[in-house]
Amino acid sequence: MTDTITIRRPDDWHVHLRDGAVLRGVAPHTARQFARAIVMPNLSPPMTDIAGVSAYRDRIMAALGADPAFTPLMTLYLTDGTDPDEVARGFAAGVFVAAKLYPAHATTGSAHGVTDVARIMPVLERMAQIGMPLLIHGEVTDSHVDIFDREAVFIERTLGRLIADLPELRVVFEHITTAEAADFVAGAGANVAATITPQHLHLNRNAMLVGGIRPHAYCLPVAKREHHRLALRKLATSGFARVFLGTDTAPHAQHLKEAACGCAGIFNAPFALESYATVFDEESALDRFEAFASLNGPAFYRMPVNTGTVTLVREPVKVPDVIDCNGMAVVPFHAGETLGWRLVD
Ligand code: DOR
Ligand code: ZN
């Protein structure tokens, strides 16, 4: 039995670091585990231009005490009014590495998102020309569509057509949660990739709803039926090159999750590698963990892999019930559980 795994330093291709005091509380958890992270722009107000994204990047670096070992990779928030020239300028200048498509009202901080992909075709055409990745929250927002079907319907109504119309566009289908999405990405061309979160590898919807409602298992897209979870585990651990690690760590204050209308989001940054390693171990796929965590993402984003390594050892790690994020109490993913892998500092 393998008791130690050493892999190239990994990256997290989807994080929410928030802003202000909370940023100082949560960013170090991501920086401890990962060399780089794709930072989501769904702040209030959203990061919709070069000046805003650039200033946010400076705040992240300041929050980390300019930790030279961590690089935030910034993203632009697309709206119906996004200017293609601004997108191209910011990408050329290295201010952002990708742009994020939130369908309007799909999730937290998406009120200013895109109301119809047709409205941003000039932006997407420009992105296809310059090779800039589009990161997609893939859910329809039509009130007639059941929340558990929203990802599959997005593939049918929007994503399939977008990729057919713009095959050169580089797309990351983020935090996929269904067998339909896993099949779609596996069958798509070289320009389409996906990320998978630890929670969608561990949890199905029963974990959220049976025996009481568990707000800390609630995120968007919401966890689905067991057969979807199994399809995601299969894809993640298969060695397939266009799937990679993206935690979607999304901290919310404990009292805002444990509420009559609880916020969507799971704070998984503190034990992310331990959580993923557990899945790869359970699937007898530890030999494929490095590709998922450290190699496939850089290959898709056309970036070098990181130098240096991290090591995980087979040892029990107790996850605390609550973590103080610079004054904000947040319940982490796996709170109160003992995981079987420990990241060596
Ligand atoms: O659960 C989620 N939380 N899903 C998202 O898409 C956004 C995120 C957040 O920002 O809290
Ligand atoms: Zn997210």
Side-chain angles (χ1 to χ4, degrees), residues 16 18 42 107-108 137 219-220 248 250 252 264-265:
H16 297 269
R18 311 306 192 203
N42 63 332
T107 185
T108 314
H137 182 111
C219 67
L220 288 171
D248 199 12
H252 289 277

Side-chain angles (χ1 to χ4, degrees), residues 92-154:
V95 176
F96 29 76
V97 307
K100 173 78 186 220
L101 167 58
Y102 284 109
H105 306 292
T107 185
T108 314
S110 65
H112 302 276
V114 173
T115 58
D116 183 348
V117 170
R119 298 210 164 148
I120 59 161
M121 279 315 274
V123 170
L124 301 183
E125 282 161 11
R126 184 71 74 86
M127 289 174 63
Q129 275 165 21
I130 62 180
M132 178 176 175
L134 175 70
L135 315 183
I136 301 185
H137 182 111
E139 289 191 286
V140 295
T141 55
D142 182 340
S143 62
H144 300 294
V145 178
D146 187 275
I147 190 164
F148 291 103
D149 299 333
R150 288 182 173 195
E151 184 174 281
V153 174
F154 183 85

